[in-house]
Amino acid sequence: MKQWIAIAGSAALMTLSAPAGAWVNGSVPELLATPLVRQALDQDPAVLEARRTLAASGHGAAALRAGAHEWTTRATVQSRRYGAGGRSNEWEAGLERAFRIGGKAKLDGDIGDVEIGIAKAQVGEALHESARTLADLWMDVVASRRLKEVITEQRGFAQDSLKAVESRRKAGDASVLEVNLATTDLIEVDRQLNAATTAEAKAQAKLRARFPLITELPQPIADPLPLETPQAQWLERILAESDPIRVAEGLAKKAALTADRLRADRTPDPTVGVFVASEARRSERIYGVSVSIPLAGTYRNERMLQALQEAEAARTRLDGKRREVEMEVTETYIDAMGSYERWRLTSQGLTATQNSARLTQRAYSLGEVDLQGLLLARKQALDATIAAEQARVEALRAQSRLMIDAHLVWDLEED
């Protein structure tokens, strides 16, 4: 636990001003400030719905503790005629109620408490899924903005190339074909820039539609660092914090309690009442106690057997949910490791490729290389830059997801 506290404390969780050196022990810097994120998450419709469900479960639990049996009043009025003549106006009034026996009241209370626990876990899961969505949408904005910046820089190179071709054409050192090639290259870069601008606008629109409070623009983010925490520890932490598993555990427990409740219900609840009656021309006053007990039959037994099978199914679903979470954690961890390695490999030769493109641009201006060589060098530099940026963003995305799943960020461990 101390290691996880250290990791969580060292992560400058989603602070826009987090420096590149803010990562410690392979943890991830915050993308957005925690107070802002918590406010945005609490206003998300999915979270609001889960909180309303939690409030409803409290009333449901109170109803289960009180029980479904209510007091029932009963009244009868009758007129009796005698063969010898005359009649007697008579009446009867009573009050009765069924009572839970065989520990049913306690079982109902336990079921209500479990339902509250399930609803609380569902609130945590709604917050968790909302946080995942927020992080993904934010990373989409970061990726699209960075791509736009890269292509904007490339457009400047394309403009310089066109100017250089036109200057050489005037000097008689370049052909019309080369001018056309440079012009076409600039048009293609403009097309890519337009597509990148559109993608950025869409990413921002999606983020603000889902989370209207998130209006800040992304700032430069740190480079990824290798994950030092072993996969087994990530798995242990995430399984311990997994709200879907808590929901499945609650449902399994509820199914088992429901089976116990229906087993107890094979002994029917008695209905006890008191009554008073007036008969024989008001000359007789009757007071009494009534007891009625339903006779258990096939229905109750079959419902109990059904509940037992449903309890087994719930336990099986719990096992399946654990395996599903384990699979997701493994996949995310492998993605984080793989994307980091791709970023490391692409970054190794990125500087050299970019410098080569700049040198080729200068060499073309001096007439030392042809236009085809220049365009090829620039394309290689652009491809390498985009690949490195994509790998960097994907590494950050996967590492951030691990932090969110482990509830080490945005105070998710408190829910």
Side-chain angles (χ1 to χ4, degrees):
M1 179 59 70
K2 291 182 179 179
Q3 180 182 6
W4 289 114
I5 294 175
I7 293 176
S10 65
L13 176 61
M14 303 209 162
T15 36
L16 293 171
S17 59
W23 294 17
V24 180
N25 295 332
S27 57
V28 182
E30 296 188 353
L31 303 175
L32 291 165
T34 295
L36 175 62
V37 169
R38 294 298 308 195
Q39 189 177 2
L41 295 182
D42 287 337
Q43 294 184 11
D44 187 51
V47 176
L48 290 174
E49 178 185 355
R51 293 196 187 281
R52 297 293 182 271
T53 301
L54 174 58
S57 69
H59 296 292
L64 285 171
R65 282 190 289 269
H69 299 319
E70 303 285 356
W71 286 102
T72 301
T73 58
R74 176 170 51 84
T76 303
V77 177
Q78 65 184 26
S79 179
R80 181 176 299 179
R81 292 182 180 275
Y82 294 96
R87 69 179 186 179
S88 172
N89 294 323
E90 303 172 351
W91 57 265
E92 178 182 334
L95 185 66
E96 60 186 22
R97 184 182 190 276
F99 292 90
R100 290 175 290 183
I101 62 175
K104 296 175 187 176
K106 182 180 184 305
L107 286 170
D108 286 340
D110 292 342
I111 291 173
D113 292 339
V114 170
E115 288 182 346
I116 291 177
I118 292 172
K120 288 181 179 179
Q122 288 172 337
V123 171
E125 175 59 9
L127 283 166
H128 172 241
E129 289 300 321
S130 184
R132 268 188 168 192
T133 301
L134 173 55
D136 285 340
L137 291 175
W138 180 257
M139 293 305 297
D140 289 342
V141 174
V142 170
S144 60
R145 175 168 285 262
R146 182 56 186 144
L147 178 61
K148 179 183 174 182
E149 291 172 352
V150 169
I151 297 178
T152 298
E153 183 181 16
Q154 186 71 11
R155 188 180 188 281
F157 294 146
Q159 285 180 317
D160 292 342
S161 298
L162 180 58
K163 290 178 182 179
V165 172
E166 290 175 341
S167 297
R168 292 183 59 182
R169 169 62 180 160
K170 291 178 182 179
D173 293 335
S175 64
V176 175
L177 177 59
E178 289 180 313
V179 175
N180 291 339
L181 286 174
T183 302
T184 301
D185 178 60
L186 179 59
I187 293 173
E188 174 60 21
V189 174
D190 284 337
R191 184 195 65 78
Q192 294 177 347
L193 181 59
N194 178 266
T197 302
T198 302
E200 180 191 22
K202 288 173 63 177
Q204 290 182 353
K206 289 174 66 176
L207 174 65
R208 291 172 182 172
R210 178 69 183 268
F211 302 100
L213 293 180
I214 308 299
T215 58
E216 301 181 43
L217 295 177
Q219 301 296 320
I221 54 178
D223 290 334
L225 292 178
L227 292 175
E228 296 183 1
T229 304
Q231 178 181 345
Q233 288 182 261
W234 282 110
L235 181 60
E236 179 183 1
R237 169 71 185 194
I238 293 174
L239 286 175
E241 295 291 329
S242 175
D243 291 303
I245 290 179
R246 290 174 181 170
V247 172
E249 288 174 342
L251 291 173
K253 186 175 181 180
K254 179 183 176 182
L257 287 171
T258 301
D260 291 339
R261 178 64 171 81
L262 288 172
R263 182 184 289 107
D265 206 37
R266 294 176 66 188
T267 302
D269 293 331
T271 299
V272 180
V274 294
F275 66 91
V276 60
S278 175
E279 296 183 358
R281 297 188 177 96
R282 302 179 184 177
S283 64
E284 296 180 359
R285 187 60 57 88
I286 303 172
Y287 301 93
V289 176
S290 64
V291 177
S292 62
I293 303 176
L295 298 178
T298 303
Y299 175 79
R300 294 173 185 266
N301 186 64
E302 292 299 328
R303 287 301 306 272
M304 180 201 69
L305 295 176
Q306 176 189 358
L308 289 173
Q309 293 300 320
E310 290 175 347
E312 290 296 326
R315 282 191 284 270
T316 302
R317 283 194 297 272
L318 172 58
D319 182 60
K321 178 56 68 174
R322 286 199 181 100
R323 296 184 185 186
E324 180 182 335
V325 172
E326 289 180 8
M327 183 173 61
E328 289 179 356
V329 174
T330 301
E331 183 178 357
T332 303
Y333 182 85
I334 292 174
D335 283 342
M337 296 293 289
S339 55
Y340 168 78
E341 186 64 17
R342 287 192 298 274
W343 172 81
R344 187 185 66 81
L345 293 173
T346 54
S347 298
Q348 284 181 348
L350 179 59
T351 301
T353 304
Q354 291 175 337
N355 290 337
S356 176
R358 293 188 182 93
L359 291 174
T360 305
Q361 181 87 30
R362 180 175 178 80
Y364 178 78
S365 300
L366 298 175
E368 297 176 357
V369 298
D370 58 14
L371 181 60
Q372 295 288 355
L374 172 61
L375 296 180
L376 177 60
R378 279 195 15 236
K379 182 179 184 304
Q380 291 174 340
L382 177 61
D383 291 344
T385 303
I386 292 176
E389 289 299 325
Q390 288 177 340
R392 182 164 73 113
V393 169
E394 290 308 312
L396 292 173
R397 189 192 300 273
Q399 292 180 1
S400 296
R401 172 160 289 195
L402 282 175
M403 298 291 287
I404 291 172
D405 290 348
H407 291 185
L408 292 173
V409 294
W410 289 337
D411 293 338
L412 292 175
E413 74 279 2
E414 298 178 3
D415 299 296

